[in-house]
């Protein structure tokens, strides 16, 4: 998994609760470290549950990752954070998450148990700003850059276009045929940039893998299934040829 895939997957977990990794279910639910255990398992690293609190993973570094001071997207951040333990004593459990964006003064990151925190059950993943001054440090995973990403082909781009325009970008309907691009894409400025940059690829990959993108692709696939069934009827002669051909034209016509 490369960095872009990893970040898209991590962002896709926002609102969800990850409570297990490597077959181990965390009895304390959606804690921040459970997200990191799930995320590092995606990259092929060994288990860090049970046996560690968040700050332990940074200080003891059981994953043997490089410690860095200048973060990049995909890094794992760590903070010191004290809370009452089961024995009624204050303990530094720490807090951790995945850096998604670096901005002046800090980072945006996806983490569990950040909002409405609970040491007993945790809380869902959210993306929030964390100041640079609050950090204990960062660990940097290794990514398989370019190894697993399939280059975006024209069908992918048309499907994304369909997602933004609300029209089928693969079966020849209005916007895709005219090559029109939705206002949201234009306003982002993405079309004025080098289409081979990581930033642009991340934009399209995240759009393609979003919930909205998945829903639109399902509609695209449904349209193709209807088209293919009509073609089958024409080829087999099982239906009225004239009506079937007209149905195909209606399905694919510009609206």
């Amino acid at each position: 998994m490369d960095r872009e895939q990893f970040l898209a997957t991590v962002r896709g977990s926002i609102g969800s609760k990850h409570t297990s990794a490597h077959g181990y279910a965390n009895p304390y639910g959606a804690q921040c470290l459970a997200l990191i255990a799930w995320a590092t398992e995606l990259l092929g690293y060994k288990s860090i549950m049970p046996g560690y609190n968040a700050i332990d993973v940074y200080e003891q570094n059981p994953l043997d990752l490089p410690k860095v001071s200048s973060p990049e997207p995909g890094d794992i951040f760590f903070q010191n954070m004290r809370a009452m333990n089961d024995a009624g004593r204050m303990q530094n459990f720490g807090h951790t998450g995945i850096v998604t964006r670096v901005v002046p003064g800090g980072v945006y990151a996806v983490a569990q148990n950040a909002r409405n925190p609970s040491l007993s059950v945790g809380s869902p993943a959210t993306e929030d700003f964390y100041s640079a001054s609050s950090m204990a440090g960062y660990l940097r995973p290794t990514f398989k850059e370019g190894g697993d990403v399939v280059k975006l082909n024209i069908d992918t781009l048309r499907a994304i276009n369909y997602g933004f325009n609300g029209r089928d970008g693969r079966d020849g309907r209005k916007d895709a045929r005219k090559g029109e691009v939705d206002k949201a894409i234009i306003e982002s400025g993405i079309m004025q940039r080098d289409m081979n940059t990581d930033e642009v690829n991340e934009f399209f990959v995240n759009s393609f893998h979003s919930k909205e993108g998945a829903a639109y692709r399902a509609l695209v696939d449904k349209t193709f299934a209807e088209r293919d069934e009509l073609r089958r009827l024409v080829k087999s002669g099982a239906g009225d040829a004239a009506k079937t051909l007209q149905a195909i034209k209606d399905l694919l016509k510009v609206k």
Side-chain angles (χ1 to χ4, degrees):
M1 177 176 286
D2 75 6
R3 189 189 309 268
E4 282 70 34
Q5 286 178 306
F6 179 70
L7 288 170
T9 302
V10 168
R11 286 194 181 100
S13 74
I14 293 172
S16 302
K17 292 182 177 181
H18 290 286
T19 60
S20 62
H22 292 278
Y24 175 80
N26 184 22
Y28 298 100
Q31 300 298 320
C32 60
L33 189 60
L35 177 74
I36 303 305
W38 162 78
T40 53
E41 183 181 13
L42 294 175
L43 298 175
Y45 288 101
K46 66 181 183 180
S47 177
I48 51 175
M49 293 194 310
Y52 298 96
N53 291 315
I55 197 64
D56 298 331
V57 173
Y58 178 69
E59 292 177 345
Q60 300 177 32
N61 198 4
L63 298 177
D64 195 26
L65 300 177
K67 291 187 176 182
V68 296
S69 56
S70 298
E72 297 178 356
D75 287 351
I76 306 169
F77 82 79
F78 294 87
Q79 294 176 310
N80 290 299
M81 187 168 291
R82 300 175 66 82
M84 193 78 70
N85 62 22
D86 293 339
R89 298 173 183 172
M90 294 301 292
Q91 179 179 343
N92 183 15
F93 290 96
H95 185 55
T96 184
I98 306 294
V99 175
T100 53
R101 188 156 49 105
V102 179
V103 296
V107 300
Y108 279 88
V110 173
Q112 287 188 161
N113 207 27
R115 302 181 194 176
N116 303 313
S118 165
L119 289 179
S120 58
V121 297
S123 62
T126 56
E127 187 173 31
D128 299 287
F129 173 79
Y130 295 85
S131 67
S133 61
S134 71
M135 295 298 173
Y138 307 87
L139 295 180
R140 180 159 297 164
T142 299
F143 300 99
K144 186 180 178 182
E145 296 296 350
D148 298 327
V149 170
V150 176
K151 293 294 183 182
L152 295 174
N153 58 31
I154 190 62
D155 283 343
T156 302
L157 293 173
R158 285 173 175 165
I160 293 170
N161 183 53
Y162 170 57
F164 282 113
N165 286 293
R167 296 179 177 85
D168 192 329
R170 290 196 299 177
D171 70 0
R173 296 186 188 180
K174 183 177 179 181
D175 289 73
R177 178 171 290 183
K178 289 186 176 181
E180 296 176 359
V181 181
D182 184 76
K183 183 180 179 182
I185 299 180
I186 296 172
E187 289 181 347
S188 75
I190 208 76
M191 304 306 289
Q192 281 71 51
R193 300 170 191 165
D194 183 350
M195 294 302 288
N196 292 319
T197 64
D198 289 342
E199 180 185 14
V200 173
N201 283 333
E202 181 181 347
F203 174 86
F204 282 120
V205 169
N206 288 345
S207 300
F208 189 68
H209 289 291
S210 67
K211 292 180 180 179
E212 293 81 4
Y216 285 125
R217 292 199 308 277
L219 290 174
V220 172
D221 292 338
K222 181 176 182 291
T223 299
F224 270 92
E226 294 171 352
R227 181 202 64 183
D228 292 342
E229 174 61 15
L230 290 170
R231 285 178 173 173
R232 185 192 66 78
L233 290 173
V234 171
K235 187 174 182 179
S236 67
D240 184 302
K243 290 183 178 179
T244 304
L245 285 171
Q246 185 58 49
I248 292 175
K249 292 177 180 178
D250 291 340
L251 179 66
L252 299 179
K253 71 181 180 181
V254 174
K255 294 184 178 182

